[in-house]
Amino acid sequence: MGDLFSQHTPKAMLITGAAGFIGSRLANLALMRGYSVRTLTRSNWNGSPAVPADQRSFGILPERIPPQALQGVDVVVHCAAYVETDEAQATAVNVEGTKRLAQMALEAGVKTFIFLSSQSAKPDALSAYGKTKYRAEQALLTQEGLNVIILRPGLVTGSGSRGLFQRMSGMVDRLPMLPLLGGGKSIVQPIHVDDLCEAIFRSDERASEFKNRILSLGHPQGISLADFLQTIAVARLGRRRPVVSVPLWPAQLGAGFAETLGISLPINTGNLKALKVVEKMETEADMAELNLTLRPLEQMVSDDESADEQPGSGVPILLVGAGRIGLVHALTISRLDGASLGGIVDPNARAKGLLQGMGLSARMFDSLDEGLAGTSARAVVIATPPSTHLRLARTCLERGLPVMIEKPLAVQESQLSEYELLAQEFPAVPVFAGYVMPRNPQVSGPLEQLRAGQLGRVRGFVGVTLLSLIQEKDSKRWEVNQSISGGGALINSGGHVLSMIHTAFGEPISVEGQSLKLYSSEVEDSIVLNLTYDGFKGTHYCSWSINGHARQENRLVIFTDAGELILTGSVGVFVSKNGEVDIDHQVDFDVGFNLAPDYAGAGFTNELKVLRDAALTENHSSTNLEDALQLERLIFTSYKNSVETKSFKPDGDSFSSAPSESLKFGGSGVPGNVKQAGRILDLRDSSAAEIAAHWERPETHERWGEYLIAPAQFAKLSRSSSRSVPDQNLRITVPDFLNQSRLLSTGRFVEVLKQMGVGGVAKAIRETGPTLARERSLNFWVAATGMLASALHSVPVDFRGTLLLHTYLTDLALTLRQVGKLQRMLAMCRRLRPQARIGFHTNQAAEALEAMQMISEPVDEVSALTSPRALHIPEIFAELRRMDKTGKMRLTAEVGLAPAIVHQVAYDAAQEWTHGADALLIGTGADAFLAEQRRMWFDQEWSKVFPGLSVPNSAL
């Protein structure tokens, strides 16, 4: 009999707004009670609640409710609501959306519909929220065929609150004196979120009994706002706060003015209106019918997070280091399935402030000890300067925490033995090293084929590491301090390519090198290594002082008797002797959330998955650490076997690259009914002079339909008389984010201001005012708004071409689920340049599709990274077409960052990349004239950092 009962079908509960405070907690508790939980939300989420992916549906009230969300559902709990002051929006979501959801639930055979209303729901409510909640209640009570139950909770409390209670708690934490609106006489009737969830479960259990009932829930006697705030203060701080009485009318006036400017304040006019007419609810009888007893007031307001710990939120990972690479880890962890960002440690307040200002919601700590004491971390990422790695690793291992350490592990060769001793001392706790390139599927897969002999016998290789990082003397960066960094370009930048070489071939027979100091006094800025293996040799060129590489170029080219294998952060390419090109791209692989599919993002995801899994199992391998220590021994050997020089001496070995004139894509072909796509040339890496010369060539406009440029290029071309291309054929990426953010990160503020110009700076100041007031700090999004405004200043008001938000701004907003930020940036472009087509670049097409369901601002263009075998791109593009109400939106596929060979074959096989898009964005490698111009420019830059050496063909 027990087996019989254990196999019954669990009751299916659909929760709307399950990513919110109440909905999330309800979903977790429902899962623990054995419900089959389904969710309907505006967007996806990571971590808690741990609802299976196939049970999540996405839509927007009132119209976009997918019918499949309600199939097989027994009970709907409607938590989603619009809480702002716009009455039209509140009516659409809270009234019409609720009515439509209830009707669809009835048609789907749902039995019970539980509606979370509000204490403020009244026919004469002054706030849009209270007024529309009341109207929704009345509509539901006339709905036949459903067990409708309406719950009116008071102020919902609990750790993790994102509403009024959170704002009250934040006020108590931050302000030395508490402002009591209206003297603090208003009555508050709090209820803890867990007690509210219990009321929901009991309502469901007795649904027929409570049909068409309105149940009021909250502290029976109520408590004044003044006493409630003091209760929070005592519970959280151990003492009362001084108070000051604030009349309601000036507060309401100020809040109304802020809302007019689009500024978000801790309390809005709706909250203030509700305070004027708040009345005590009679809750005792309703809670008695539910047999519901509330927890004591002190527990309701306690900041004890353990009391509200949400199951299923994933492995908490503590991040140590909030710098450039720390940001990548923070973003990836925050979206990694089965993991959560437990906290961030960094003594630098500015670094932590940057992450907080971007929208990362994680607890911040000044030291590792504080972070470990203040979180329940089960794994740690160390992304600090290398001199701190060994000490921090020991602290983590002593606490039994798996740790992933960014490269390099050591700053001295003697420390490698200390790591070995550490592994022996803590054999059950794994240590991983952050050599990310071999973890990328477009790298690991081809290397496995190479080692298996499937790509021919190796003849030799060329590795290239190029970065624009150290380009002036007396740099203050820690990387040039040998005691902190361990060395220069090789150990800090070259390890990525060297890790691919080491993974492919193992230990070399010998290694010799030459190094050059251009700007640094303690470490090398350029280095060339010659590595000898059994039967072949190779060379690794590495410099962090070359122009034109704001983002590091990591490339390994392996020559075999069957062809040429090219490995980069985005693609793995094999060019056979007959010119056939086979391409593996990051977007071809499902690794879960991928922050940067054009730049080793899959590798970061994969290494963090390994760390997450290590926290869940006792079966650990030390292989990764052993490989990393071998690689770092090779780095220190390379330093010992290198001589400093003023001019490099060529080694003499060279390899011929694949012939570009006979290249052909090795794909399987596309269906014959796919429409012909246009071709857009990406000119953002070319100079204005090169672009002007290119446009004067007669064959240019036959080969290319449109052109993509940067704002500064447009301004220079417009000042000259050589711009022969009409606006309609131009696309401009705004702002020049990668270049300007790099300059800002290295302290070159004057350079950025010069680029902006006087007019651009003035425009930036004018446009950032409302954003600064809304964000309440000079944070990342304020700076981004200023960059965007300055970039738009370079474009005439009557511009009729296309303006596209920079990929990084789009993708950061998508990653952080800051769709509102994305919409505001699009709206700014529309407002300031009303005749232009407005859109965005993105490397995250699936995330963009999800966001498009929430963006009310019209989008004229979506330009997304693709590949011939990109997962889900055809379906995503088709859905974007379906969603386009105007019929005017265009889709562009992007080849993205890839070797010139990829762009060359993409031009001839455009349909393989577009998947039904209108056009394909291709780089200058596919244009013979500009490729030659690029080669000439690159020769000059190469000679500055590798004097005496010619450019190997494989470096381009």
Side-chain angles (χ1 to χ4, degrees), residues 602-908:
F604 285 99
T605 298
N606 284 335
E607 70 179 3
L608 289 168
K609 281 182 179 178
V610 171
L611 180 65
R612 173 202 66 192
D613 294 344
L616 297 172
T617 178
E618 296 180 359
N619 298 321
H620 302 310
S621 168
S622 61
T623 303
N624 177 265
L625 179 60
E626 292 170 2
D627 289 345
L629 294 178
Q630 286 182 6
L631 174 58
E632 296 205 3
R633 284 196 173 88
L634 174 58
I635 291 174
F636 288 113
T637 299
S638 299
Y639 276 136
K640 285 189 291 188
N641 294 352
S642 294
V643 294
E644 189 175 340
T645 184
K646 296 295 183 182
S647 178
F648 292 94
K649 297 178 177 58
D651 180 66
D653 287 338
S654 62
F655 303 95
S656 58
S657 296
S660 59
E661 62 275 4
S662 62
L663 295 174
K664 55 184 179 296
F665 178 63
S668 57
V670 295
N673 62 351
V674 174
K675 67 178 182 179
Q676 183 68 26
R679 291 168 176 81
I680 304 166
L681 180 58
D682 187 349
L683 294 167
R684 290 174 295 179
D685 286 336
S686 301
S687 69
E690 289 171 342
I691 295 172
H694 184 250
W695 284 346
E696 291 174 0
R697 298 170 60 84
E699 63 270 28
T700 291
H701 307 298
E702 296 176 9
R703 186 172 173 83
W704 303 101
E706 295 180 70
Y707 306 92
L708 176 67
I709 58 178
Q713 293 169 321
F714 181 89
K716 289 179 181 178
L717 290 164
S718 296
R719 285 195 294 269
S720 70
S721 58
S722 57
R723 184 161 76 82
S724 57
V725 176
D727 284 357
Q728 288 82 348
N729 290 1
L730 285 179
R731 297 169 175 225
I732 304 177
T733 299
V734 287
D736 187 3
F737 180 76
L738 185 61
N739 175 50
Q740 291 183 345
S741 61
R742 182 183 67 85
L743 293 174
L744 291 173
S745 70
T746 54
R748 293 152 75 177
F749 304 106
V750 175
E751 239 176 289
V752 175
L753 293 176
K754 285 181 179 178
Q755 287 183 6
M756 289 182 168
V758 175
V761 171
K763 191 68 174 177
I765 293 172
R766 189 178 309 126
E767 290 295 329
T768 53
T771 308
L772 180 59
R774 185 187 306 114
E775 301 291 335
R776 298 195 292 279
S777 66
L778 186 59
N779 63 25
F780 171 85
W781 294 109
V782 174
T785 300
M787 288 183 190
L788 179 57
S790 173
L792 292 172
H793 179 73
S794 303
V795 181
V797 175
D798 60 352
F799 178 70
R800 295 178 179 272
T802 302
L803 296 172
L804 296 167
L805 283 178
H806 194 284
T807 309
Y808 280 7
L809 284 184
T810 302
D811 288 355
L812 281 170
L814 295 175
T815 297
L816 293 162
R817 305 204 189 284
Q818 300 272 353
V819 178
K821 301 285 195 304
L822 178 58
Q823 176 159 305
R824 279 192 282 271
M825 289 187 288
L826 292 169
M828 177 194 287
C829 293
R830 181 84 60 192
R831 174 170 53 84
L832 296 180
R833 298 297 176 262
Q835 298 184 50
R837 290 174 53 82
I838 306 299
F840 55 78
H841 297 281
T842 181
N843 291 333
Q844 298 176 9
E847 299 281 327
L849 173 62
E850 184 180 299
M852 286 288 285
Q853 300 180 58
M854 294 174 274
I855 293 175
S856 58
E857 183 70 27
V859 176
D860 303 314
E861 185 86 29
V862 175
S863 189
L865 179 69
T866 70
S867 77
R869 293 194 289 264
L871 293 178
H872 312 305
I873 287 293
E875 296 84 357
I876 291 170
F877 280 1
E879 183 62 17
L880 283 169
R881 295 261 190 223
R882 189 191 67 77
M883 290 171 53
D884 178 25
K885 304 298 184 187
T886 66
K888 297 179 180 179
M889 184 173 70
R890 291 184 60 194
L891 298 177
T892 296
E894 298 186 4
V895 177
L897 290 174
I901 282 176
V902 176
H903 291 273
Q904 290 165 20
V905 299
Y907 185 94
D908 295 321

